[in-house]
Amino acid sequence: MENNNENFVRSRWYKNSVVYQIYPRSFKDGNGDGIGDIRGIIEKLDYLQDLGIDAVWLSPCYKSPNADNGYDISDYRDIMDEFGTFEDWKEMIKGLHERNIRLIMDLVVNHTSDEHYWFQESRKSVDNPYRDYYIWRKGRGKNGKRPPNNWTSRFGGPAWKYDETTNEWYMHLWAEKQPDLNWDNPKVRQEVQDIVKFWLDLGVDGFRCDVITYISKTINPDGTIPNGKFNPFACGDELFCHGPHIHEYLRELNEKVLSHYDCMTVGEAANVDIKTGLLYTEESRNELDTIFFFDHVETDMFMQVIPKGFNLVKFKKALVSWQKAMYRKGWIALYLENHDQPRSLGRFTGKFDNHRKEAAKMLAISLHMQQGTPYVYQGEEIGMTNFKFKSVNEMDDKLALNIWNIVKYIPIVRQLYVPIMNKRSRDHGRKPMQWTSGENAGFSETTPWFAVNPNYKEINVEESMSDENGIYNFYKKLISLRRRPDTAEILREGTFTEYYPKNKDLFVFNRSYKGKSLFVVCNFKNKNVALKLPDDISFNNPELVIANYNDVEPISSRTLRPYEAFVFMYND
Ligand code: NOJ
């Protein structure tokens, strides 16, 4: 509800919350067409309530021709036909709110679909009133047949598309069907404010702001990055991110709309370093409330695509540096998975063999005990794993398919494609949710739009819920620690001290607040590892808060079992 009272103070509820991400196409099919939808989500509202999460981030459900699975919006005020109707959406938000679950919608406003009315108009003529809603330029060279500069799209190929109607080029940092909006045009910013207000007035509680760090751009000549350096590849995020007016535009959106609601924003912040992260999230700056940073999920990648071995020391360093820098200043989103990332099991744990459950629980502890708002991606709470692709024909993601269209002509690289995708593809997280061991994993009554992972017979919600020691019930317990006043307070306010940063097997840290602490130990390896307790902690009145093995010994220096993880609370 809009609040124009000048004494209104936002409650910042997200600091006490755990958010669950739903990728609607793959969550649950409610109408039997093989595609996940809003009726499917409604069927699972009790499930979400039982898990105990506080908010849902719903990936885009707006009208879209699906060039990028909904991240290409053709009408911001309507629901995609495949996902249902506006009435379904209203029933869903009502059902969520009745269960005290907030709803965070995806705000995709760096670009629209090329089928959006604004773009349809914009491309008609150079003097169309919508022309400046997008970024149009004349081409270079004779007859302007070369793109305005050599920037490349994040999906491969030039970031410009020639349009013969007006003999000009439009910018698209993603697919050709995703033209970039021109945020320098005040009318575009006004439109975005109106869209945000429209959804907030319908009761939405916040927004996950898609590629928000890209909205302000300087169109430089070939390969010149904003700081003046030359980038010969012309494809790095540094070309497009954190442009000259980004902070001004975010503050404007905040001041005009967001600050009048008890809502939250989480920005997808590509290419963000800590200094810039603080600019986005420091409360006094009134820009975004929180951000997703990428440092930890890039430690096992070369140039964001080519997988390299997982290195726990680098991974910890990436996470810990944010913990330290943001303390009492900004606020971050904590995540290991989402619809753009492979599954975390295997990726951050190495081969887990018969220790899948311990490994999944250990990862959960390592993340949820940090300061920030933890995100659980659908299926993470039952330990879903990556799919084993055998060929490009089994893939769906536009990014993966575009990469194939480039590498298929290069013999050696062509052979590396499937192994690389098996580590990296965005498709892993987009496989249908595994609800039961029955047909189609209980996702749909009919053949799903995307083949289910055959391991659904063993890994599914039904199995996990019925197992007292299963991953699902473990997540419930972990999430409930944010409701228990003493643990919740330490998690929200506590300092963060890391031990043994150079240890290649263990992630050990301590969270402290007002004389009480949480001591967190995670063995990231599928082997026994020695733990030596830090000398500077006296562990008065230790209480075991959570662990992934049942028979945990009293706190002591000892040998940890494969993936063993636990949290002790004690008085300082
Ligand atoms: C980030 C989204 O998470 C991703 O799925 C999408 O392809 C791009 N933004 C473009 O919208």
Side-chain angles (χ1 to χ4, degrees):
M1 212 179 49
E2 181 163 7
N3 197 320
N4 285 314
N5 179 338
E6 60 183 49
N7 297 321
F8 168 63
V9 182
R10 297 164 71 196
S11 68
R12 310 217 177 254
W13 49 266
Y14 54 87
K15 293 191 176 178
N16 296 312
S17 300
V18 176
V19 182
Y20 185 89
Q21 185 194 350
I22 292 182
Y23 192 67
R25 178 164 291 270
S26 305
F27 187 63
K28 177 74 178 82
D29 174 15
N31 68 351
D33 64 357
I35 300 172
D37 50 34
I38 294 174
R39 294 236 64 86
I41 299 174
I42 294 171
E43 272 178 45
K44 296 298 178 189
L45 291 177
D46 289 342
Y47 171 78
L48 298 172
Q49 184 178 28
D50 183 69
L51 182 57
I53 48 103
D54 305 277
V56 161
W57 153 25
L58 182 64
S59 280
C61 62
Y62 314 96
K63 274 244 169 354
S64 162
N66 278 313
D68 185 20
N69 281 356
Y71 281 92
D72 49 316
I73 296 170
S74 54
D75 185 346
Y76 287 93
R77 291 182 175 79
D78 206 350
I79 302 297
M80 189 191 299
D81 291 335
E82 287 171 340
F83 291 169
T85 63
F86 221 110
E87 291 314 306
D88 294 332
W89 182 87
K90 285 187 181 154
E91 191 179 325
M92 177 191 69
I93 189 171
K94 186 163 171 280
L96 285 168
H97 285 168
E98 279 165 3
R99 290 166 181 79
N100 288 323
I101 300 174
R102 290 180 158 97
L103 178 62
I104 299 168
M105 295 282 276
D106 221 305
L107 183 70
V108 188
V109 286
N110 172 69
H111 46 268
T112 68
S113 161
D114 65 345
E115 297 181 30
H116 194 289
Y117 171 76
W118 302 336
F119 191 74
Q120 298 288 308
E121 286 297 306
S122 182
R123 75 185 339 170
K124 279 183 182 161
S125 65
V126 291
D127 51 9
N128 186 284
Y130 289 92
R131 186 66 172 182
D132 286 342
Y133 272 45
Y134 295 87
I135 302 171
W136 292 95
R137 291 288 185 279
K138 291 210 176 311
R140 293 172 303 167
K142 213 169 157 233
N143 305 328
K145 287 289 170 339
R146 276 174 52 224
N149 71 9
N150 68 346
W151 284 11
T152 52
S153 136
R154 299 297 321 261
F155 280 177
W160 298 92
K161 168 90 176 148
Y162 176 69
D163 201 57
E164 53 186 23
T165 317
T166 54
N167 191 25
E168 287 195 2
W169 299 68
Y170 69 85
M171 178 189 277
H172 63 91
L173 292 182
W174 274 265
E176 283 177 15
K177 283 184 70 64
Q178 292 167 294
D180 279 54
L181 282 165
N182 173 18
W183 273 67
D184 293 335
N185 180 350
K187 286 191 196 143
V188 167
R189 304 204 301 276
Q190 180 65 53
E191 297 273 13
V192 172
Q193 288 160 25
D194 293 347
I195 291 165
V196 168
K197 192 166 169 6
F198 171 83
W199 289 101
L200 287 170
D201 287 337
L202 284 167
V204 158
D205 303 283
F207 296 94
R208 175 268 187 184
C209 307
D210 188 67
V211 294
I212 201 71
T213 47
Y214 292 73
I215 58 174
S216 166
K217 303 155 182 105
T218 308
I219 320 296
N220 288 308
D222 271 7
T224 315
I225 62 177
N227 67 11
K229 283 195 210 140
F230 185 70
N231 174 342
F233 301 110
C235 64
D237 281 338
E238 68 269 30
L239 288 164
F240 329 119
C241 284
H242 323 300
H245 301 288
I246 180 100
H247 300 292
E248 175 191 328
Y249 295 161
L250 290 175
R251 274 203 291 273
E252 180 184 59
L253 180 61
N254 194 310
E255 187 201 316
K256 298 229 166 110
V257 190
L258 297 163
S259 61
H260 302 281
Y261 296 80
D262 196 20
C263 64
M264 69 91 89
T265 49
V266 51
E268 187 196 20
N271 193 36
V272 74
D273 59 15
I274 287 174
K275 201 166 138 230
T276 320
L278 281 166
L279 295 180
Y280 287 124
T281 62
E282 261 182 298
E283 277 180 26
S284 58
R285 292 178 55 86
N286 295 317
E287 295 188 14
L288 296 166
D289 295 313
T290 76
I291 49 165
F292 290 109
F293 62 90
F294 286 73
D295 294 351
H296 61 309
V297 292
E298 283 172 359
T299 53
D300 63 343
M301 296 288 157
F302 178 64
M303 288 186 71
Q304 296 173 13
V305 190
I306 301 166
K308 57 180 189 185
F310 174 66
N311 177 324
L312 180 64
V313 173
K314 285 193 183 146
F315 182 75
K316 292 191 292 186
K317 194 170 169 214
L319 291 167
V320 172
S321 52
W322 281 91
Q323 286 295 308
K324 295 205 165 139
M326 300 304 265
Y327 188 66
R328 295 261 144 106
K329 292 196 182 117
W331 196 261
I332 48 168
L334 305 168
Y335 74 101
L336 295 176
E337 298 187 5
N338 61 40
H339 65 291
D340 291 333
Q341 297 289 331
R343 293 288 181 180
S344 53
L345 270 167
R347 178 178 185 188
F348 303 129
T349 59
K351 278 205 174 123
F352 46 84
D353 303 320
N354 51 347
H355 287 296
R356 184 180 61 90
K357 294 185 184 176
E358 289 84 1
K361 294 174 189 176
M362 180 280 293
L363 287 177
I365 289 187
S366 76
L367 190 77
H368 285 236
M369 290 298 111
Q370 295 178 42
Q371 188 175 50
T373 302
Y375 283 68
V376 181
Y377 179 60
Q378 64 186 40
E380 195 175 358
E381 78 279 21
I382 57 163
M384 278 176 63
T385 62
N386 283 346
F387 184 82
K388 284 201 179 62
F389 293 101
K390 288 184 216 70
S391 97
V392 64
N393 301 331
E394 293 175 320
M395 300 178 197
D396 171 80
D397 175 30
K398 299 287 174 302
L399 174 59
L401 300 179
N402 281 356
I403 296 178
W404 173 247
N405 284 331
I406 298 168
V407 303
K408 68 182 176 191
Y409 302 107
I410 317 171
I412 297 171
V413 184
R414 182 190 163 97
Q415 274 158 25
L416 295 174
Y417 177 77
V418 171
I420 288 181
M421 285 300 146
N422 271 327
K423 290 231 151 92
R424 182 67 197 109
S425 173
R426 309 199 299 178
D427 277 333
H428 293 295
R430 300 175 180 195
K431 285 284 172 188
M433 178 77 179
Q434 296 165 201
W435 293 102
T436 69
S437 59
E439 212 178 343
N440 304 320
F443 165 74
S444 172
E445 291 158 11
T446 185
T447 309
W449 69 277
F450 204 18
V452 293
N453 190 323
N455 66 15
Y456 71 87
K457 300 242 186 240
E458 302 88 56
I459 304 174
N460 60 70
V461 169
E462 204 173 53
E463 182 282 328
S464 203
M465 284 180 100
S466 66
D467 175 3
E468 204 191 321
N469 291 316
I471 302 170
Y472 177 84
N473 286 310
F474 182 85
Y475 262 91
K476 275 181 78 167
K477 187 164 178 200
L478 189 62
I479 292 169
S480 73
L481 295 179
R482 291 192 180 245
R483 297 248 162 66
R484 188 181 140 171
D486 48 4
T487 46
E489 194 170 50
I490 305 173
L491 289 172
R492 195 183 59 242
E493 310 287 346
T495 54
F496 186 99
T497 309
E498 189 192 12
Y499 289 92
Y500 321 127
K502 295 267 174 321
N503 188 304
K504 292 183 181 138
D505 305 319
L506 303 180
F507 190 13
V508 180
F509 56 90
N510 197 65
R511 305 284 318 276
S512 281
Y513 188 63
K514 289 195 175 158
K516 269 193 177 285
S517 297
L518 294 170
F519 181 66
V520 183
V521 172
C522 296
N523 174 7
F524 268 70
K525 292 290 156 65
N526 188 359
K527 64 175 188 189
N528 291 348
V529 175
L531 166 73
K532 186 188 163 303
L533 288 189
D535 298 329
D536 62 342
I537 305 183
S538 50
F539 295 106
N540 295 320
N541 275 335
E543 175 200 334
L544 180 64
V545 173
I546 194 162
N548 63 352
Y549 279 80
N550 281 335
D551 49 346
V552 178
E553 292 173 24
I555 185 97
S556 59
S557 293
R558 61 186 176 81
T559 302
L560 299 169
R561 290 161 283 185
Y563 300 120
E564 183 162 359
F566 52 72
V567 181
F568 273 92
M569 184 157 63
Y570 64 91
N571 295 329
D572 294 346

